[in-house]
Amino acid sequence: MIVAFRQVGRISLLGWDVVRSVPQRPFQWRELIRQSWFFASVTILPTAMVAIPFGAVISLHLGSLTKQIGAQSFTGAASALAIIQQASPLITALLVAGAGGSAMCADVGARTIREEIDAMRVLGVPPVQRLIVPRVLAAMFVSILLNGLVSVVGVLGGYFFNVILQGGTPGAYLASFNALAQLPDLMVSELKAVIYGFIAGVVAAYRGLNPSAGPKGVGDAVNQAVVITFLLLFLVNVVLTGIYLQLVPPKGM
């Protein structure tokens, strides 16, 4: 337990260093663009492919449940809100951490064991400002874009499966969504995506900067980064969802 808290503390310190290093100059714009393109290229297709069945499963289960209790007209709102508020940020973060974050951890870890990070410190080049900040910002930026993609694909997939396969009414599906959905639902979804992208980037950077000796240590660091990120994401998701439900009142019919 003490080791776990120590790791969380060190990750938090690295996160603070990243935030503090963002305004420092010169800012690595070229590296930010390159890393953003890399994150997007390895996550766009898997994210879209995961969003379709995820939206379908939510829509089919909710459609079946609402039909049993005679509330079929609320299927659209329930499925769309579940996708936008919960599924989209989590799917985005898990794929950003699993695909982009693991590659980022491996790259930084390889630089660490080759002593490139130590050489940068000796030359007076801050590795956090030069290497970590562009990668973390790229993870956050791509998370925002992918969250929007998952929301659109998931809602359209849910609409298709509910209306076409379950015989739902298109008008009722859209009307219920319009009646219960509100702008803060989308805002909290994007906020979650930003926070999750930040966590995924910082954890990947931390494990990359602190691997065990040798190539095996880099592989172990990649696995640990993915596992730690997943655990933190689900924990943070519970906290953010609880805060949102307390601060933002639900929209009435």
Side-chain angles (χ1 to χ4, degrees), residues 16-17 75 80 130:
W16 171 245
D17 288 341
T75 303
R130 176 63 180 83

Side-chain angles (χ1 to χ4, degrees), residues 43-66:
T43 54
I44 286 180
L45 183 59
T47 301
M49 297 301 293
V50 170
I52 295 174
F54 212 97
V57 169
I58 292 177
S59 180
L60 291 174
H61 275 283
L62 286 176
S64 176
L65 179 61
T66 54

Side-chain angles (χ1 to χ4, degrees), residues 43 47 50-51 54-55 58 79-98 139-140 142-155 184-200 229-230 232-238 240-241 244:
T43 54
T47 301
V50 170
F54 212 97
I58 292 177
S79 60
L81 290 177
I83 292 170
I84 293 175
Q85 286 191 19
Q86 301 297 329
S88 296
L90 281 177
I91 291 174
T92 298
L94 293 180
L95 288 172
V96 167
M140 297 168 64
V142 173
S143 294
I144 296 175
L145 300 181
L146 291 180
N147 184 65
L149 173 65
V150 174
S151 297
V152 172
V153 174
V155 171
D185 296 327
L186 179 61
M187 294 173 61
V188 74
S189 178
E190 295 290 1
L191 177 62
K192 284 182 178 182
V194 172
I195 295 175
Y196 296 166
F198 178 79
I199 293 174
T229 302
F230 285 7
L232 289 177
L233 289 180
F234 286 108
L235 177 61
V236 172
N237 181 61
V238 173
L240 292 179
T241 301
Y244 173 76

